[in-house]
Amino acid sequence: MKLSIQNNRIILNSICQLYILLFVYAAVSKLLDFENFQVQLGQSPLLSAFASWVAWLVPTIELILASLLLFPKWRTIALFAAFSLMIMFTTYIFIILNYSSFVPCSCGGILEKMGWTEHLIFNVFFIVLAILGLLLEKQQNYNWIGRMRPLSYSVTILFSLLFSIGVVVVLFLSSEEIMHHENPFIRRYPHHPVALTHTVDLKFNSYYFSGYANGRIYLGNYSDPLHVLSMDTTLQHRQQLKIGFNRTELPFRMVKILVRPPYFYLMDGSVPCVFRGTINNWKANQELKGCPPFTLAEPIDSTTIAFRNNNSKNGAHVLGIFNSGKLPKTRYAATFLQKQIDGIFDTDGMLQYSKSLDRMVYAYFYRNQFIVADKNGSLDYRGNTIDTVAHAKIKVAYLKGKSERKMAAPPLIVNAHSAVCNKLLFVHSKVPGRYENPKVWEQSFIIDVYDIEKNRYMFSFPIYEIGGKKLRSFFVTSTHLFVLLDTQIVVYRLKELLKKEIKSADRKNP
């Protein structure tokens, strides 16, 4: 009997020593590389919104429990707490592996040396050790746990288990809600949602993305406006297309070609004019008559154009819808673009259209806002990008009796470029968020992804620099991301995480 009691004490002491070793090692590892640990928590699908205080709380609790396990008087409480903490860690990993939208990087300490599945098994082993330790504590009969009835003991263990699981589930659901809809400027970076496949030097920086059709990307050229360059997704099988157009008497200043299958559009807002043709014969022979002047335009269908011009009061920007029909009609949405400073620079931005959602999207350059409206010009909502720049940080100088205006200082660009594919809005952000590595910002361009159907932030990913070249624009399809870096065009293949989100809109809008 004495031997059995002695063996129980040896096993119990060994369990406590293992837990002390685990907690001290894990806590010290986190604290020695605290900044990296906090960054990794910020990328967690479960704890992103709470990274600032969880990063301090976890190692603090681990060190406290390691200290309490040294003293027999506090060992029972410490074992219960250790059991609960390991249940939380295990629940966290289980949710990551089975319910998270992506699997993040590891979070320091021992976890950093293991895969997620291996650490799940590791945690289960320590949970079993904690239960065994509590059983041995009960058999010692010198404290309150030894006087508990078996049923009460089982209920206590079960309550600790359910409570610990519940805490993590609540944190997960709360964090997801905050990150998607009330993001505290914390980006999530899934593992490589895009993969570089091909790159080609175009020799000139006058190319721009015209559109995509039948597995081929189309590039317009500002220097040679009636020629379009077509390539497949491997950037091979190039084809130079000549647009048939005979209206040379028009005073063109900035011709732009947009490909929206089965049509292409030749347009110049300074004339103003919009001509349409099909990509089967490349002849711009159908004019959409009655078009107002515009500075930006995006085709909605064969007869309808979403546009922006500065015909409103004081020359401020305004969005509108033009329909060429039998009786050309223009509708202005005077309240869409909200003036903060001058109504022109502060409302400058990018106009996109999602065919699958029948929605136009306007993203501001200098503030954290975008607008989503239907094809009839009715506002759906005003969304926000995740940064905190709500007011444009620009300075405007007025010249020649206020008849001219210029930027008086370099502005803070918030959203530099954007693209829409189905229900997703892609924004090239210029503002670093919380818990981000400065080296990543030095070496890459950060793309934030938003679900415009649900008005929520999804995740972010970097496009890495190639030879220090500047990002000029990008274009997204259901399978590929095309990027113009100065004179180079770069193709990335979308991985399953992005393809799944894009295709979900296709299923809803066949």
Side-chain angles (χ1 to χ4, degrees):
M1 186 69 172
K2 289 182 180 180
L3 183 62
S4 176
I5 293 175
Q6 185 177 2
N7 286 340
N8 286 352
R9 288 180 177 175
I10 291 174
I11 295 173
L12 180 58
N13 288 334
S14 298
I15 290 172
C16 292
Q17 289 168 4
L18 281 174
Y19 260 105
I20 292 170
L21 179 63
L22 170 66
F23 287 153
V24 169
Y25 173 79
V28 171
S29 297
K30 294 179 179 73
L31 293 174
L32 288 178
D33 195 12
F34 181 77
E35 184 176 351
N36 185 49
F37 174 58
Q38 194 174 48
V39 168
Q40 290 170 336
L41 276 183
Q43 306 307 317
S44 166
L46 272 71
L47 301 174
S48 305
F50 312 117
S52 57
W53 57 268
V54 170
W56 287 106
L57 184 64
V58 171
T60 300
I61 290 176
E62 288 173 336
L63 290 176
I64 290 174
L65 292 182
S67 302
L68 292 178
L69 285 168
L70 291 170
F71 304 99
K73 179 180 179 181
W74 301 104
R75 196 159 55 191
T76 300
I77 294 175
L79 280 172
F80 263 111
F83 169 74
S84 294
L85 190 61
M86 293 308 295
I87 289 292
M88 291 180 187
F89 290 162
T90 305
T91 304
Y92 172 85
I93 296 173
F94 181 80
I95 293 176
I96 287 285
L97 293 175
N98 293 278
Y99 299 100
S100 170
S101 57
F102 65 95
V103 178
C105 298
S106 56
C107 294
I110 293 177
L111 180 57
E112 194 169 15
K113 313 300 180 184
M114 298 181 181
W116 288 94
T117 302
E118 289 80 3
H119 197 78
L120 182 67
I121 297 170
F122 179 86
N123 281 6
V124 171
F125 170 73
F126 268 86
I127 289 171
V128 172
L129 286 183
I131 293 174
L132 177 60
L134 289 169
L135 286 172
L136 294 176
E137 273 284 283
K138 187 177 189 320
Q139 292 177 11
Q140 298 298 318
N141 286 322
Y142 58 79
N143 60 15
W144 60 273
I145 195 172
R147 297 188 293 272
M148 289 180 67
R149 295 180 180 180
L151 180 60
S152 300
Y153 170 77
S154 300
V155 169
T156 303
I157 294 290
L158 180 61
F159 174 79
S160 298
L161 185 147
L162 295 177
F163 175 79
S164 303
I165 293 174
V167 167
V168 177
V169 170
V170 169
L171 284 176
F172 169 57
L173 295 177
S174 301
S175 181
E176 286 295 276
E177 176 65 21
I178 292 172
M179 289 297 294
H180 287 314
H181 300 290
E182 303 173 30
N183 190 286
F185 206 5
I186 300 174
R187 288 188 171 92
R188 288 178 168 177
Y189 292 97
H191 290 309
H192 312 298
V194 297
L196 190 151
T197 59
H198 301 88
T199 179
V200 165
D201 194 339
L202 299 172
K203 307 300 182 183
F204 302 99
N205 64 0
S206 54
Y207 285 102
Y208 61 90
F209 289 115
S210 287
Y212 181 85
N214 304 321
R216 299 183 69 84
I217 188 72
Y218 293 88
L219 299 174
N221 191 328
Y222 290 118
S223 300
D224 189 6
L226 293 183
H227 282 87
V228 175
L229 176 62
S230 171
M231 293 179 284
D232 64 6
T233 55
T234 66
L235 303 184
Q236 305 299 316
H237 309 102
R238 300 191 200 182
Q239 186 179 6
Q240 280 282 359
L241 302 166
K242 170 70 173 178
I243 294 176
F245 186 68
N246 56 12
R247 297 288 301 276
T248 56
E249 81 283 2
L250 295 173
F252 291 117
R253 295 176 60 188
M254 183 62 74
V255 174
K256 191 168 186 179
I257 307 297
L258 295 181
V259 176
R260 302 294 183 264
Y263 303 106
F264 76 91
Y265 299 82
L266 183 154
M267 54 179 64
D268 188 329
S270 63
V271 175
C273 66
V274 176
F275 291 86
R276 189 187 72 222
T278 68
I279 59 176
N280 293 328
N281 60 22
W282 292 98
K283 293 181 180 179
N285 50 21
Q286 181 68 46
E287 183 178 4
L288 277 62
K289 296 181 179 180
C291 181
F294 57 85
T295 52
L296 293 175
E298 184 66 34
I300 292 178
D301 56 40
S302 61
T303 61
T304 308
I305 304 291
F307 68 92
R308 184 197 73 185
N309 68 20
N310 50 8
N311 286 344
S312 66
K313 186 178 180 181
N314 298 322
H317 284 140
V318 62
L319 294 179
I321 305 290
F322 164 70
N323 187 285
S324 66
K326 292 182 178 179
L327 293 174
K329 183 168 64 173
T330 300
R331 298 188 305 276
Y332 287 97
T335 62
F336 276 16
L337 302 183
Q338 296 180 325
K339 175 181 175 181
Q340 291 184 336
I341 299 171
D342 71 327
I344 293 185
F345 292 121
D346 62 340
T347 58
D348 201 3
M350 302 156 283
L351 180 62
Q352 312 283 343
Y353 185 75
S354 170
K355 185 177 180 180
S356 64
L357 297 182
D358 279 333
R359 293 294 184 272
M360 60 177 178
V361 182
Y362 188 87
Y364 289 104
F365 282 133
Y366 306 118
R367 64 177 103 162
N368 65 345
Q369 192 179 84
F370 59 90
I371 299 165
V372 179
D374 67 18
K375 62 181 181 180
N376 298 315
S378 297
L379 181 67
D380 282 350
Y381 65 88
R382 300 181 188 276
N384 290 100
T385 53
I386 60 173
D387 61 89
T388 57
V389 186
H391 195 277
K393 297 182 179 180
I394 61 175
K395 187 175 181 181
V396 181
Y398 294 88
L399 308 174
K400 297 182 179 179
K402 295 189 176 182
S403 62
E404 293 183 9
R405 66 189 86 189
K406 291 185 178 180
M407 288 282 196
L412 173 64
I413 299 175
V414 176
N415 306 311
H417 306 91
S418 68
V420 169
C421 184
N422 288 5
K423 69 172 186 174
L424 298 186
L425 169 64
F426 297 78
V427 176
H428 169 208
S429 176
K430 301 279 283 187
V431 185
R434 299 168 64 190
Y435 317 129
E436 296 194 22
N437 189 337
K439 290 184 179 179
V440 175
W441 280 82
E442 293 172 5
Q443 303 169 359
S444 63
F445 311 98
I446 303 303
I447 307 298
D448 298 328
V449 184
Y450 300 87
D451 184 332
I452 55 177
E453 187 177 43
K454 298 180 180 178
N455 187 19
R456 65 175 186 171
Y457 165 73
M458 301 295 290
F459 50 81
S460 305
F461 62 90
I463 296 175
Y464 286 96
E465 287 185 350
I466 298 178
K469 296 182 183 296
K470 180 182 178 181
L471 174 66
R472 290 198 295 114
S473 63
F474 62 93
F475 192 92
V476 185
T477 73
S478 59
T479 56
H480 290 84
L481 165 67
F482 299 86
V483 181
L484 285 175
L485 297 174
D486 284 339
T487 62
Q488 282 191 319
I489 180 171
V490 184
V491 182
Y492 294 84
R493 175 177 53 84
L494 303 189
K495 293 191 176 180
E496 193 57 34
L497 176 63
L498 270 171
K499 289 167 67 176
K500 181 177 66 174
E501 294 294 339
I502 289 174
K503 288 179 180 178
S504 65
D506 283 336
R507 289 193 293 269
K508 295 176 183 177
N509 302 279

